Amino acid sequence: MNTLTLQNLKDIVSGNAAAFRRVVKLEPVGGPGAKVFPPTYEGGKYATEKRWFNGKLVDCVLLDSVQSQANRMELALKEAVDEGRISLPVITVDFSKTEAAFVRRVTSLEAPHRIADAILRDSEWRNRVPFRKTSAGKALDNASLQNATELFGYCPTALVFGMWYSTGARGGLGVKFPRAIVSEIIGIGAVPGQRTGGRLDPLKITSSAGPIYETQDGDWTLESQKAKTKADKNGNIVPTLYGKKGKPSEINHGNVTPSLVVQKDQNGNPIDRSGTPTTRMDEWIPIGGFTIDYAQQITVISLPTLRRLRFPVKGKNDADTAARVALTALALCAATLSGEKGYNLRSQCDLYPPDGVPAWEVVGLNRTFSTFSLDAESAIKLFNQAVKEAKGAGLPWHSEGLTLVPREDLVALIVRSRATSDGDQGEEEA
Amino acid sequence: MFSIAIRYLCGWASAAANKKEEPEWPPHPDRVFMALVAAWAETGADQSEEQCLRFLQGLPAPRLSASLSYELHAASIIFRRDLNAEERVPVPVYVPANGDRREMKSPIKLMPSERKRNKRYFPAVIPESDTVYLIWPDVELPAEHRAALERLCAKVGYLGDTSSLVQMWVEDNPPPPTLVPTDERHYSCRLRVFRTLEELIADYERDKRAGQYLPRTFKWGYYREPEEKKPPTPSSHFAELLILRRTAGPTLDITDTLGLAKTLRDAAISLWQQRIESSVPEWLSGHTPSGGRSRRENGHLAFVALPNVGHQHADGELKGAALAVPQDVTKDEQTLLLDALFPLDEQTGEVRPLELTLGRLGVWRLEQETRSFPRMVTLHKPVWLGPAERWATVTPIVLDRYPKNGESEAEEMVAAACQRIGLPRPREVVLMPGSLFIGAPLANRFPSLPKKFGKTVDQHTHALLIFDQPVRGPILLGAGRYRGYGLCRPWRSGGEQ
């Protein structure tokens, strides 16, 4: 099979093909039939659906969403940058020399809204120049689909993974770059399973060994006189039990009877399918992962989306193709590097491609495909060549990066709020 | 003939309907036009492309070829009940906010792991076929516009959500349409059709001035499935089932069927008299002008309650109602009735709901189910229409008389009841006290018909009917068929979709 060359890529990007597409067949590392644990959503639910395969509907479960895949690809790029395998413009906010050093660094590859993120907005460059006033900030302010040249130089990943600049002067009408790469992983032939949980205490602490009291500083004690006190319903001052009943299990000691892991309501009572608490075990809803026949990752890179972007250099549009080729190579590189890292999606959801990684298809009109193989090293080589050509065409490429420091008041506020944030989860919607 | 083809490259289509948590399917023509206009405006506003867009906006509403069978993408529904859930519940996804720092109480929440998360929906469908066509069968694409349209199509990368990547092109040989434009708003789904370039530009300029997206006015068109050319499936003399969705009101049980059907019938007759004319036609009232019992060959209008039955967690609650229309009632006559029940509010352009007063229980509000995506399976028309070879009762059949000679006489009465509504004689009739559908109670638990009919609960029976060939519903059998009794639903062994 042909390896994708820079010339191939140029022909494809400047032609009328619609997309690059790759479908990777995956299996649990435990082999077919081994259980996988998909992500859970609100209320401990799994995302299931039916899909058509060869005219038949098959039960499927979502193993990794589009958004999650985008984050994994960006992290794969970040690793490649850190290892010096690729050169990529990245904007970093460095917390290490501030009081909030525990935050370390946040880069435009990790910030949720990429270069348009509020963390960058609230940071400064060198002599207290606010990010918005730096050349990178101005590039963001002035970016449009017709002129993405400067943004290309500072944050090309925003053009590939998409970005909505909603915190600028134009608010919700700020520039939007649609994502050009979409990837997701689904489990096919999904059958829900059951799981049990329990704990056998090697210390053999029994529940009658209590009661446990809570001290003033939130620790526990067996001595009632050291406990903090409170008034009971009759107004008597009594020591405070730890947790609800002061049992050793409240401080994570003792046995936990093995039981089925099931969906529960806010009070910890198992619920039935209508959401009502029930004591009938046959009505409980297990949270026990799935067995699947196999999993499938579909990655699509949209070429029309990239062709919509224009990159004027000195008033001329001669560099458009070079920039689009570089962005396509960046997308291919991100997907390939992310695949190279493996498919360890989360605890108990390890997948691998048993037949290796297949070729990329080029989706053209009338479904005439051509296919190209691309391993990680070739993807990196291709990307570096494409970047070189883009630079040659006069496009900016600030691979030296830009390092910002957080504003002082931001640091102070982070430090102050960290001290109080432990119990402060109330305003979260989730 | 020419068409615009849209292929969903990931196999699914993500776009929100008017209600943000519900998916839009099929893609509305206006969405496609907007994508083309955006492609034109964002790539230099070429003049030949503009002329092509003006040509398109002047065309009649296109026919559509889009899979009418589709599933919901997992990102838009996460099962609350089981894999065959009755109610498909959209589930929110929480995405990190990029909000104003002033909104945040503690700035540590700016850090990616601590970020406040906003509730969003990513509704999406997985159609059986990944390609959709907008078809103009009677229009030739002039040569001067073809190149421009091809260029515009090639510039569209996504439709709806940005994750919904597509490929678009001009196709001269599209498949036959699955949806065609119609004037009849009552029997169709409502889709947004092309606005004009001027309107879109005006909206764009207005939003820019306002600094935010303002609500916009859409143009609506109605679509229905094309008439079938296949040899007709045997069907009952009830030709059409008009589904009404309960949008507000008290909880009613399947055993309240009679009461609901009566209230609905009274409302239909009185609204006809108020809004159409004082004399009520025989097909609606079931009575001749002189007050005698109607002897119409195809029967008269039946009022049906639609219960939630037939799956693991069915509870028999009534989710809506329906009107089963005899086949010789013309579309015009039906339209008159529906206009009377659901008048169009001239000022708002919206349809007013029907309110049924249920005594002390309160008021049921009903709307016509014209959404292309009914959230409840109970309100899905094919669930009640089949076609299928095997049908079973949801509400009991009321036998014409007490069967003195045992079961065989009763079976004969049910077989005759099938023929009375125009169906072929079933190959087999199996009678039983209970329904095969979960959620439907025993036959004798349903209240008997009003006294004037002279029937008792001893004459109630559930049944399974097996025909020699698939037949089409709606099927309503026995003496209570005009009041929601004897309602059947296709029975598929080994589970029910």
Side-chain angles (χ1 to χ4, degrees), chain B residues 21-23 25 70 72 88 125 369-375:
Chain B
E21 66 272 26
E22 289 182 6
W25 185 260
Y70 54 86
L72 294 175
R88 299 182 274 196
V125 301
E369 183 60 89
T370 52
R371 292 182 297 180
S372 52
F373 167 68
R375 196 188 287 181

Side-chain angles (χ1 to χ4, degrees), chain A residues 3-4 336 373-385:
Chain A
T3 299
L4 187 65
T336 310
S373 68
L374 197 66
D375 60 20
E377 287 318 312
S378 333
I380 288 173
K381 196 175 140 202
L382 185 68
F383 172 61
N384 289 336
Q385 285 173 344

Side-chain angles (χ1 to χ4, degrees), chain B residues 369-428:
Chain B
E369 183 60 89
T370 52
R371 292 182 297 180
S372 52
F373 167 68
R375 196 188 287 181
M376 267 173 239
V377 174
T378 301
L379 303 179
H380 222 176
K381 212 190 270 191
V383 163
W384 302 99
L385 292 189
E389 272 176 46
R390 301 204 281 174
W391 292 74
T393 50
V394 171
T395 55
I397 300 170
V398 182
L399 298 174
D400 290 336
R401 56 182 187 281
Y402 187 78
K404 288 178 187 146
N405 302 324
E407 199 142 285
S408 59
E409 188 189 353
E411 285 166 9
E412 175 55 36
M413 275 191 261
V414 171
C418 291
Q419 290 174 297
R420 195 174 307 136
I421 64 162
L423 289 172
R425 194 181 165 83
R427 184 176 75 221
E428 210 176 325

Side-chain angles (χ1 to χ4, degrees), chain B residues 35-207:
Chain B
L36 292 172
V37 171
W40 161 75
E42 287 170 4
T43 58
D46 175 83
Q47 205 162 21
S48 62
E49 290 173 7
E50 181 182 335
Q51 279 159 4
C52 170
L53 290 169
R54 289 186 195 283
F55 163 75
L56 284 180
Q57 75 189 25
L59 295 181
R63 297 181 172 201
L64 296 181
S65 173
S67 279
L68 296 183
S69 45
Y70 54 86
E71 290 294 323
L72 294 175
H73 187 276
S76 60
I77 41 143
I78 288 141
F79 71 92
R80 186 160 84 178
R81 294 179 167 172
D82 61 359
L83 291 172
N84 297 311
E86 161 75 1
E87 194 173 353
R88 299 182 274 196
V89 187
V91 167
V93 176
Y94 291 89
V95 301
N98 200 15
D100 194 320
R101 204 181 58 206
R102 281 167 298 188
E103 291 168 11
M104 300 187 187
K105 283 185 194 156
S106 50
I108 193 157
K109 293 188 188 299
L110 276 176
M111 295 304 110
S113 59
E114 304 288 329
R115 197 62 73 85
K116 177 185 167 184
R117 283 161 189 270
N118 287 335
K119 199 176 194 174
R120 292 281 179 279
Y121 294 93
F122 295 101
V125 301
I126 308 168
E128 188 172 3
S129 158
D130 61 4
T131 311
V132 174
Y133 301 83
L134 270 59
I135 308 165
W136 288 269
D138 307 317
V139 182
E140 288 307 320
L141 183 60
E144 70 262 31
H145 295 319
R146 177 170 287 267
L149 186 55
E150 279 171 352
R151 275 203 309 278
L152 282 172
C153 285
K155 284 191 270 195
V156 177
Y158 67 94
L159 204 56
D161 186 74
T162 59
S163 66
S164 197
L165 299 183
V166 296
Q167 172 185 20
M168 265 170 69
W169 71 97
V170 180
E171 175 65 61
D172 291 321
N173 295 304
T178 56
L179 286 170
V180 294
T182 171
D183 300 331
E184 298 163 336
R185 68 182 168 99
H186 295 302
Y187 323 100
S188 46
C189 55
R190 199 166 80 132
L191 304 184
R192 295 195 302 267
V193 292
F194 287 9
R195 284 171 291 161
T196 60
L197 200 53
E198 290 73 23
E199 287 169 310
L200 292 177
I201 292 171
D203 278 354
Y204 175 78
E205 296 294 340
R206 185 197 57 171
D207 289 353

